[in-house]
Amino acid sequence: MSRTKARAALLQELEAAMRRSSAQGVLYGQTVANVAGIANSDLECMDILYLEGRVTAGRLAEVTGLTTGAITGVIDRLEKAGLVRRERDEKDRRKVFISVVPETAMKIGQLYVPMQQAMEKVFGAYSDEELRLLLRFANEGYKGVLAATEALKGLLDTPPEKRPALKLKKLRP
Amino acid sequence: MSRTKARAALLQELEAAMRRSSAQGVLYGQTVANVAGIANSDLECMDILYLEGRVTAGRLAEVTGLTTGAITGVIDRLEKAGLVRRERDEKDRRKVFISVVPETAMKIGQLYVPMQQAMEKVFGAYSDEELRLLLRFANEGYKGVLAATEALKGLLDTPPEKRPALKLKKLRP
DNA sequence: ATATATATCTTAGTCACTAAGAGATTTAGC
DNA sequence: GCTAAATCTCTTAGTGACTAAGATATATAT
């Protein structure tokens, strides 16, 4: 087998493996939501809140791609579950800040423990240098996928004759 | 900074980077579904059909975790869009095989081109040996996440006093 | 002071989903 | 063979999260 052919096979295998593991990652998240008894988007918002801290309802809509109406529903449910609190901004009383209730949200966090342990075990088998390679790849991969997403959205704005004949749907602006 | 502390920081950064790129991957998929004008689960089923070839409706339910009733809806929509065909098994007339219509499904495939190009570009910067490391990691990561998912589901079956106090919901059996 | 902009919420309607069970066919037990 | 149980898909009724559009409240600009 030629050198380049070996590489092509490697690339293909790599793509399949990444796809598989990525799909399983999504499934883990769905299982967390299921076990916690909350909707998928609700969990996504908890995630954002965890990463960004205190954010406004509008920001959640922006990041998740949901409408503000949908976000109202998300927050209602999370608030009822005691996972977050609404806090009106005293400076600008139109705004509503959402913040997690740490004591309750912690319980959700615990559902990620199996995942963290699994990852610790996997990472444990790699040297620092190897981990740096993985980190570089993860960062570059992120940028690549981000660019690809933009490119794909861009298809919608290209003249219709120039794109694959498909029933195309407008994305939310 | 101590050696182990450097590693801990590296691990944390790595986790964040993987999470970010994984999330963006999910977003790419959603965008594909959006642009194609089909539901997310519909696209997931197209994916499975692409990977496994001709499969039964029941198999789709199994793999996606949806009920058979939901799968009936998925197939109805995909069939109406001309993306798949229903074919009754002549050996066992209860079964319905679903197969993609290549000419139409190709158009969906094209929506993955931006992603493939982006990945080619990223992978291009790595040697064969580095790619093999990435492959090893992807495979081990998959196994790890799979195990974590099972462990998490397992929490549901452990005696209630022994698990985090959470409103737990039964998963579909 | 009035108009315009911004941030969240409300309402009505839609769509994919589940649970339960019906219909059609196959397999097993006698 | 014949009946009973099992298997596979589909149907039905009801639920819940979503969007679109506009209402409400507050802030900013002219």
Side-chain angles (χ1 to χ4, degrees), chain A residues 127-137, chain B residues 3 10:
Chain A
S127 70
D128 282 19
E129 179 148 9
E130 287 171 329
L131 290 184
R132 276 192 287 273
L133 175 67
L134 293 177
L135 176 58
R136 177 160 74 92
F137 173 74
Chain B
R3 198 73 274 229
L10 183 55

Side-chain angles (χ1 to χ4, degrees), chain B residues 25-66:
Chain B
V26 172
L27 236 141
Y28 188 85
Q30 281 174 359
T31 308
V32 168
N34 254 324
V35 172
I38 63 179
N40 228 297
S41 324
D42 298 12
L43 183 62
E44 194 192 342
C45 285
M46 289 299 293
D47 230 52
I48 294 162
L49 286 168
Y50 174 73
L51 288 174
E52 301 205 7
R54 194 163 168 265
V55 299
T56 64
R59 171 80 184 146
L60 283 180
E62 203 180 301
V63 176
T64 58
L66 296 176

Side-chain angles (χ1 to χ4, degrees), chain A:
Chain A
M1 197 191 269
S2 79
R3 200 72 273 230
T4 67
K5 188 142 180 216
R7 187 174 172 94
L10 183 56
L11 285 170
Q12 198 171 345
E13 210 180 334
L14 190 51
E15 192 200 324
M18 298 228 157
R19 206 156 142 180
R20 199 164 43 225
S21 63
S22 168
Q24 192 58 40
V26 172
L27 235 140
Y28 188 85
Q30 281 174 358
T31 308
V32 169
N34 254 325
V35 172
I38 64 178
N40 229 298
S41 324
D42 298 13
L43 183 62
E44 194 192 342
C45 285
M46 289 299 293
D47 230 53
I48 294 162
L49 285 168
Y50 174 74
L51 287 174
E52 301 204 6
R54 194 162 167 266
V55 300
T56 64
R59 170 81 183 146
L60 283 180
E62 203 178 301
V63 176
T64 58
L66 296 176
T67 60
T68 60
I71 289 296
T72 299
V74 169
I75 301 170
D76 285 350
R77 291 189 298 270
L78 289 177
E79 198 174 35
K80 206 154 101 183
L83 291 166
V84 306
R85 245 191 299 271
R86 273 183 167 95
E87 289 161 7
R88 276 225 112 82
D89 186 355
E90 288 307 322
K91 305 281 178 190
D92 181 344
R93 301 192 41 75
R94 293 168 303 177
K95 288 188 189 167
V96 171
F97 276 107
I98 316 300
S99 59
V100 300
V101 178
E103 311 84 58
T104 336
M106 204 188 52
K107 293 175 190 163
I108 299 265
Q110 292 188 359
L111 298 178
Y112 285 103
V113 169
M115 174 67 118
Q116 284 159 357
Q117 285 173 343
M119 282 301 106
E120 259 175 50
K121 200 173 149 196
V122 171
F123 287 143
Y126 294 86
S127 70
D128 282 19
E129 179 148 9
E130 287 171 329
L131 290 184
R132 276 192 287 273
L133 175 67
L134 293 177
L135 176 58
R136 177 160 74 92
F137 173 74
N139 282 328
E140 287 172 357
Y142 169 69
K143 278 184 222 151
V145 179
L146 187 64
T149 308
E150 289 313 308
L152 180 56
K153 279 186 190 163
L155 276 184
L156 285 177
D157 302 325
T158 63
E161 328 83 57
K162 298 211 151 191
R163 51 165 149 81
L166 255 180
K167 221 189 315 169
L168 290 169
K169 211 176 140 188
K170 273 234 205 68
L171 293 170
R172 281 202 336 108

